[in-house]
Amino acid sequence: MDRGPWKKWTPAVAAAATIAALAAGGSITASARTDLPDRTPQDVLEMVAAHELEGFSGRLESSVELGLPQLPGADVRDGEDEDDGSVDGRIAGLLSELTGTHEARLFADGHDRFRLQLLEGADQKDLVLNEGELWSYDSAENEAVHLTLPRHGAGEESPLARQHPGVAMPTPEQIAERLLEKAEAHSVVSVEEGTSDSGRDVYTLRLEPRTDQTLVDTVAVDVDAATGMPLGVEVRAVGQDEPAVSVAFTEFTPEVPDAGLFDFSPPAGATVEDVSLPDGMMRHGGPGHCGSGAHHHRGEVVGDGWDAVVVMPADAVPQDVADSAVLDELAVDVEDGRLLSTPLLNVLLTDDGRVLAGAVPQQRLLDVAASGTGEE
Amino acid sequence: MLASELRLLFRRRRTWALFAALAAVPVLIGVAVRVSTGPPRGRGPAFLDQVAGNGLFLAVVGLLVSVPLFLPLTVAVVAGDSIAGEASQGTLRYLLTAPVPRAGLLLVKYAVIVVFCAAAVLVLAAAGVLVGLVLFGVQPAVLLSGDTVGLGESYARIALITAYVGVSLLGLGAIGLFLSTLSDVPVGVMAAIAVLAVAAQIAGSLPQLEWLHPWLFTEHWTGFVDLLRQPVLWDSFVDNALLQAGYVAVSGALAYGRFATKDVLS
């Protein structure tokens, strides 16, 4: 009779043990190696260039760890803060939008319709493109923005269309060859087989910079073995355990989603804004990205590999950016200027007003600055 | 035996008092929104704002407001009383003289808790739908993705959310059953269950305890907003169901271990 009472506890132990085993087992199977035919980097790049999907739906997770200190204004960022138009507000808004972990769902029909849904807690932002009609909807503000895109030649209509080279484009083999040639000049390129976060078999294309004059440790691109679709990108910085930037599908279904998803009409009661877009603005992302890319063409690039440094002369840098309080808070003083340092990117604001940026160690920025590039 | 236990539950005045308190939640919110000029904008999820325009959302808001405290409290009362109440009244040993094994008695008691959870969320949702209909009328509902869906699908989504909340409470009910086997003082058990529900939610809001969050039974309690997206995001429903099943299995087994080895003296 001694063992009697203990037997009654067996189910409790068994239940706990089963759950523990399931929890542990889940993480083991996730990293199990798969059995795919061997491919060279050339083959994988060809797969990417040739891939043509009749639509898909998926779930994306992006995480950006810039290692910046928490900004005081970033938490209370709300509609009002963004609209004040100040550089500080814009920088803080942009940083909080870019950094951290974000989740999104993406649906595409393989042609000119797609829908992106940013999941933000109990709110959601939608971006719907349906044959030249672009809608964005923000559930938190109950605001919709409507935009009719000007008709362009193929290749500019949607991000998806951009991935599909038109008829006049070179063949996938040629694209792969050229890309590989460029990549191998500066990096060691290798291919591994594995399983992505979405549970699909992938080839992981890994680039390791040949130079040590860069903060980039590796860049890895997951390419779906079945469809050739890139499923994830991961950038690791030197000396960091966690990836600095990672964007990947956590779910991916290569099937055309329900066509009704792309029919969007704003709900009754929502504020609707009609925006018309001047030609030529298409090249820069959506609204909110203006300003970040606009000045690049006035800058100068030193170096052509991983150690490239972008130098902007003093007159290309808006004064309010240089004087921004947010930048002041993030930057540290170095000789001849201020340095904004993150694991993956260093930005140097020199005392004479130039801005130098690159995925390079700070010493290289200082060297380039001292060489006088970008001075009048 | 299950039928007699259920009759006992629904014959109690206390049960009906709990239902009335739950039904009062959407009534209060509805009346408050109706007499005021409209809820202040920019607080909480956007669909709170929609109550004034659409009665359908009152049920959803009523559920959302009740999930953190009111619903756990009612479950705590019923689950805490299940075994400890019988023990304190001295009726437990009479129950055990019936030709039913102790595991069977536990199962019946848990089934009663499950029925109560289902009834509680149904009362809450039905009150919300009815009050919303009377006070605001109904229009096609706007989902988080900005899509507008018709009445039929709106009701289907409300039913789904109701089911989600009901499932959310099953883990707590099982924990309550286990705690109830530990003691002969039902009030103490009820308090312990309620405190546990609140403590789990506080732990869930502390970023320092992030490693613990996936294991908290309250983790997905408010995840039903995912059912208001188009297309429906099922992940949280599935995750929640798995999590609750895990708690039911472990707590149920613990309750059996305790109850089967317990000396019932009263």
Side-chain angles (χ1 to χ4, degrees):
Chain A
M1 276 311 282
D2 264 344
R3 279 178 59 243
W6 292 110
K7 259 167 110 177
K8 314 271 183 174
W9 289 97
T10 323
V13 178
T18 311
I19 287 173
L22 285 178
S27 49
I28 289 171
T29 47
S31 59
R33 285 189 62 87
T34 48
D35 201 20
L36 291 170
D38 286 344
R39 292 268 193 276
T40 64
Q42 165 87 19
D43 296 337
V44 175
L45 281 172
E46 263 173 45
M47 275 169 57
V48 176
H51 93 275
E52 225 163 287
L53 263 185
E54 282 300 309
F56 63 88
S57 44
R59 184 130 166 233
L60 276 168
E61 202 172 284
S62 80
S63 101
V64 177
E65 297 302 331
L66 283 185
L68 290 175
Q70 186 71 41
L71 288 176
D75 293 335
V76 286
R77 190 184 66 82
D78 220 328
E80 275 73 25
D81 289 349
E82 241 177 311
D83 288 345
D84 66 3
S86 79
V87 171
D88 284 354
R90 279 208 322 257
I91 294 178
L94 199 66
L95 282 179
S96 77
E97 223 149 82
L98 283 178
T99 57
T101 308
H102 294 278
E103 265 193 280
R105 286 197 290 179
L106 191 61
F107 306 91
D109 79 338
H111 302 288
D112 45 8
R113 281 183 281 208
F114 87 107
R115 180 168 192 158
L116 176 72
Q117 302 184 317
L118 297 175
L119 313 178
E120 300 172 337
D123 291 321
Q124 183 172 325
K125 281 182 185 150
D126 276 61
L127 197 67
V128 190
L129 179 81
N130 191 347
E131 292 178 342
E133 300 277 318
L134 186 69
W135 280 98
S136 83
Y137 177 77
D138 183 348
S139 78
E141 307 288 327
N142 197 21
E143 272 175 3
V145 179
H146 178 229
L147 186 72
T148 307
L149 298 181
R151 291 277 166 188
H152 278 279
E156 277 207 10
E157 277 175 18
S158 73
L160 200 71
R162 242 174 261 159
Q163 295 172 2
H164 294 277
V167 194
M169 295 288 281
T171 63
E173 287 88 338
Q174 289 168 319
I175 298 177
E177 237 164 69
R178 265 183 238 170
L179 278 175
L180 196 62
E181 212 171 280
K182 277 193 180 168
E184 287 200 315
H186 302 287
S187 344
V188 180
V189 184
S190 59
V191 168
E192 282 165 29
E193 291 143 34
T195 310
S196 76
D197 293 345
S198 52
R200 295 178 67 87
D201 292 345
V202 289
Y203 292 104
T204 304
L205 203 60
R206 197 176 296 278
L207 291 129
E208 282 168 72
R210 290 183 198 272
T211 168
D212 57 358
Q213 284 295 303
T214 177
L215 296 174
V216 178
D217 183 39
T218 55
V219 175
V221 182
D222 284 347
V223 176
D224 189 29
T227 63
M229 168 100 177
L231 292 185
V233 178
E234 190 183 273
V235 182
R236 285 176 182 273
V238 173
Q240 300 284 312
D241 292 334
E242 296 295 311
V245 177
S246 138
V247 181
F249 280 100
T250 51
E251 272 167 39
F252 183 78
T253 318
E255 280 160 27
V256 182
D258 180 21
L261 263 181
F262 305 112
D263 289 327
F264 186 85
S265 49
T271 329
V272 179
E273 196 186 340
D274 260 298
V275 181
S276 59
L277 202 63
D279 278 358
M281 249 192 75
M282 288 291 300
R283 279 165 211 287
H284 310 296
H289 294 273
C290 319
S292 58
H295 300 294
H296 280 304
H297 61 279
R298 295 175 65 183
E300 194 180 327
V301 181
V302 180
D304 62 345
W306 293 100
D307 55 355
V309 174
V310 177
V311 185
M312 279 194 274
D315 59 351
V317 182
Q319 193 52 43
D320 50 354
V321 169
D323 291 344
S324 157
V326 172
L327 276 189
D328 238 13
E329 205 161 309
L330 296 176
V332 291
D333 285 328
V334 291
E335 49 173 326
D336 307 327
R338 286 170 297 158
L339 183 79
L340 187 65
S341 184
T342 74
L344 198 59
L345 185 75
N346 276 325
V347 181
L348 177 70
L349 297 97
T350 62
D351 288 335
D352 56 11
R354 288 174 296 153
V355 175
L356 293 88
V360 295
Q362 65 180 72
Q363 191 53 48
R364 170 145 172 92
L365 279 187
L366 292 171
D367 291 346
V368 175
S371 72
T373 318
E375 275 174 359
E376 268 96 305
Chain B
M1 186 171 186
L2 178 60
S4 78
E5 287 285 323
L6 282 176
R7 261 202 305 280
L8 201 63
L9 172 75
F10 285 105
R11 221 185 271 153
R12 283 195 151 171
R13 228 177 268 162
R14 188 178 65 193
T15 309
W16 291 100
L18 291 177
F19 285 159
L22 286 176
V25 172
V27 175
L28 276 179
I29 298 173
V31 170
V33 171
R34 184 73 203 181
V35 296
S36 68
T37 48
R41 276 190 57 87
R43 293 232 164 255
F47 54 82
L48 282 179
D49 301 344
Q50 294 200 27
V51 175
N54 196 340
L56 279 173
F57 280 90
L58 193 55
V60 178
V61 173
L63 284 167
L64 183 73
V65 169
S66 310
V67 157
L69 191 59
F70 297 134
L71 281 171
L73 275 182
T74 58
V75 173
V77 169
V78 173
D81 197 48
S82 54
I83 302 291
E86 306 275 6
S88 76
Q89 287 180 345
T91 46
L92 189 57
R93 56 181 156 168
Y94 298 114
L95 274 179
L96 290 176
T97 54
V100 180
R102 289 188 177 192
L105 179 63
L106 267 185
L107 275 181
V108 167
K109 285 292 185 186
Y110 186 62
V112 170
I113 296 173
V114 171
V115 169
F116 175 81
C117 290
V121 290
L122 276 178
V123 164
L124 192 51
V129 167
L130 285 179
V131 175
L133 205 67
V134 171
L135 289 181
F136 306 102
V138 289
Q139 283 100 39
V142 177
L143 301 175
L144 285 178
S145 39
D147 298 275
T148 310
V149 292
L151 279 188
E153 186 167 357
S154 308
Y155 283 121
R157 300 251 176 166
I158 291 178
L160 269 180
I161 290 174
T162 310
Y164 185 105
V165 176
V167 170
S168 298
L169 296 173
L170 296 183
L172 183 67
I175 296 170
L177 182 70
F178 168 54
L179 292 181
S180 192
T181 60
L182 294 177
S183 167
D184 290 349
V185 189
V187 178
V189 179
M190 293 176 197
I193 300 169
V195 165
L196 202 61
V198 173
Q201 291 179 76
I202 292 175
S205 66
L206 293 177
Q208 288 84 355
L209 295 177
E210 214 176 336
W211 52 271
L212 185 66
H213 289 179
W215 299 99
L216 292 173
F217 61 93
T218 53
E219 173 68 2
H220 300 291
W221 271 11
T222 53
F224 60 79
V225 290
D226 283 349
L227 298 175
L228 288 172
R229 305 186 197 276
Q230 175 81 328
V232 173
L233 190 58
W234 289 103
D235 299 30
S236 50
F237 199 106
V238 175
D239 289 351
N240 184 42
L242 284 177
L243 182 69
Q244 301 300 335
Y247 268 98
V248 170
V250 173
S251 303
L254 282 173
Y256 170 73
R258 164 68 186 167
F259 191 56
T261 54
K262 187 177 180 173
D263 291 325
V264 177
L265 302 171
S266 59

